[in-house]
Amino acid sequence: MTDNQNRLHALDAVRAGALLLGIAFHASVSFLPGPQIWPVVDVDRSPALAVLFFVLHLFRMAAFFFIAGYFGRMALVRRGLGGFVRDRLKRIALPLVVGWPIMMAAIIAVIVWAAVKANGGVAPPAPATPPLSMQTFPLTHLWFLYVLLWLYAGALCLTGMVRVIDRSGRLRGIVDRLLALLERSRLAPLVLAAPIALAFLANPEWRLWFGVPTPDTGLVPNGIALTAYGIAFGYGWLLQRNPELLQAWASRWRSNLVPAVLLTILCIAIAGATPDLGAAPRWTGRTILYAAAYALAIWCWTIGLVGAALRFLARPNGAVRYVADASYWLYLIHLPIVMAVQAAFSQLGWPAPVKYILILLITVPMMLGSYAVLVRHSWIGAWLNGRRVPRQAGGRGSPATAA
């Protein structure tokens, strides 16, 4: 097996980990202290779970979009333009179009039930909702599919333009040498973090505690999210041109994860453990320090975690492969299920960490069971993961999947 194949196993594990951590992330939201941002509000609040929320939000989606960019260019090279477009429409656009109304209906049903339950069994007055528009359209947790489509379209347009302008390949050669220089100098985290920090500071409505604002509402993604996730996607796309550059990350995983942890501690010390919905004061010393530390932490976490995966998960592993195959399905369906169990526990006087663990222990095995019964050996598995796994295959996984 080649090094490139080994790296594929590691990167697929990181992609799956980012999706599964999303379940853990959403399971914590009902327990956040301070102003509530979630339809389900638990009677017990937990600063510890707020810290978990903060840390997971910091790096999870940047790592995901980096892997998406890497796998995206790999799919383009393997399939060609036509095959790539058909594959992305099938495995990204179609799940969004089909899944959104189903998930939206289920989420609304859970929200209504949770409100009735919290109000003593009586339906409270319906809150005022803004009319549906380009700015208010609720993408729910499926926003990542929508943003992926934007990024794929942008990458294809730029790739086409470069091929027309740079017929000799000279410009691409210069870019490759610059990337190699950047990786050898170990300055990549700083260079990649700089535009994200500037995007934070340039936005007058930036909410410091929440870092990169999730583009889950509106059909035009916000500028900070497009900057942060576009850079991650683009860097993954470019590094796939020279996969050997990525191997250096395996030897640097400690030297990136240690700063990642320290920078995260600094950010929490500045922002606190309670969510703050107020806009950050612009261009103060505190805000500049926080923006720089947060943006740099994003990339130290991403490079460190990818490097650790390259170091320890490079070889094929049946259990990791199975979870990686299941992760896409689990993430697509998880939100209303997690919210329903949150609502069921929300009025119980148990400690928040106990309820949080029970939420995960109930929902994750349930969803894994649905994957084993409904998806893995069916047409749904072929749709989402590229091919259906035969029942007699004994658990062998499919090739690296969507995103």
Side-chain angles (χ1 to χ4, degrees):
M1 183 170 289
T2 68
D3 288 341
N4 188 54
Q5 289 174 309
N6 285 337
R7 281 197 292 272
L8 181 60
H9 291 288
L11 297 185
D12 203 33
V14 174
R15 179 192 63 84
L19 292 175
L20 295 177
L21 286 176
I23 301 173
F25 171 79
H26 287 130
S28 71
V29 191
S30 62
F31 302 102
L32 295 183
Q36 284 301 299
I37 59 172
W38 200 241
V40 181
V41 181
D42 200 274
V43 295
D44 192 24
R45 311 294 178 82
S46 171
L49 290 176
V51 170
L52 176 66
F53 173 99
F54 183 95
V55 174
L56 293 181
H57 182 63
L58 196 158
F59 69 83
R60 182 177 62 88
M61 293 311 296
F64 172 86
F65 279 105
F66 172 81
I67 303 301
Y70 191 97
F71 280 162
R73 187 181 183 278
M74 180 181 293
L76 178 62
V77 171
R78 289 179 175 177
R79 298 175 181 272
L81 178 59
F84 175 84
V85 171
R86 287 191 296 271
D87 181 72
R88 300 297 98 171
L89 289 176
K90 173 185 174 183
R91 294 161 64 190
I92 302 295
L94 193 57
L96 174 62
V97 172
V98 173
W100 183 85
I102 298 172
M103 290 296 104
M104 194 67 200
I107 289 169
I108 291 173
V110 172
I111 290 173
V112 172
W113 175 57
V116 171
K117 184 177 177 63
N119 201 45
V122 179
T129 56
L132 202 62
S133 68
M134 289 282 290
Q135 291 73 38
T136 63
F137 190 90
L139 290 167
T140 71
H141 65 298
L142 302 184
W143 66 264
F144 79 107
L145 298 175
Y146 183 72
V147 172
L148 271 178
L149 294 174
W150 275 69
L151 294 175
Y152 288 137
L156 291 180
C157 289
L158 287 174
T159 299
M161 290 172 57
V162 169
R163 287 177 178 172
V164 170
I165 296 170
D166 185 37
R167 294 185 181 277
S168 67
R170 183 178 179 182
L171 177 59
R172 280 165 282 182
I174 293 173
V175 171
D176 290 341
R177 288 193 292 274
L178 287 174
L179 283 177
L181 179 63
L182 187 61
E183 286 298 327
R184 285 196 299 269
S185 69
R186 303 196 179 194
L187 294 177
L190 287 170
V191 173
L192 295 167
I196 302 174
L198 291 174
F200 287 152
L201 296 169
N203 190 320
E205 299 179 356
W206 179 47
R207 296 174 177 177
L208 180 147
W209 199 87
F210 290 93
V212 179
T214 303
D216 55 356
T217 301
L219 296 179
V220 179
N222 66 77
I224 296 176
L226 274 183
T227 300
Y229 300 145
I231 288 172
F233 181 94
Y235 200 63
W237 187 281
L238 289 175
L239 276 188
Q240 203 282 324
R241 287 177 50 84
N242 297 280
E244 66 279 357
L245 295 177
L246 203 59
Q247 190 57 40
W249 290 14
S251 61
R252 301 177 191 167
W253 67 274
R254 285 192 189 89
S255 62
N256 280 289
L257 285 183
V258 170
V261 172
L262 295 177
L263 288 164
T264 301
I265 292 172
L266 174 60
C267 289
I268 295 172
I270 295 173
T274 300
D276 183 358
L277 299 181
R282 300 180 70 193
W283 301 105
T284 66
R286 173 178 174 269
T287 305
I288 293 172
L289 175 62
Y290 182 88
Y294 196 102
L296 186 56
I298 288 174
W299 276 102
C300 287
W301 275 113
T302 299
I303 295 174
L305 290 172
V306 171
L310 291 169
R311 174 67 177 80
F312 299 107
L313 298 175
R315 294 182 179 180
N317 180 291
V320 173
R321 181 70 261 177
Y322 186 94
V323 172
D325 287 345
S327 62
Y328 190 23
W329 168 255
L330 265 62
Y331 194 80
L332 290 177
I333 69 169
H334 84 278
L335 193 59
I337 297 171
V338 167
M339 291 176 65
V341 182
Q342 284 175 328
F345 287 159
S346 62
Q347 303 305 306
L348 298 178
W350 303 348
V354 172
K355 288 190 276 189
Y356 174 75
I357 293 170
L358 287 174
I359 289 168
L360 293 179
L361 288 178
I362 291 170
T363 58
V364 173
M366 180 192 308
M367 292 185 292
L368 278 171
S370 73
Y371 170 75
V373 174
L374 300 175
V375 177
R376 185 166 177 80
H377 308 294
S378 74
W379 61 268
I380 303 176
W383 171 25
L384 297 178
N385 290 340
R387 71 176 179 89
R388 180 172 59 188
V389 178
R391 291 188 183 276
Q392 66 271 21
R396 289 185 178 273
S398 63
T401 71

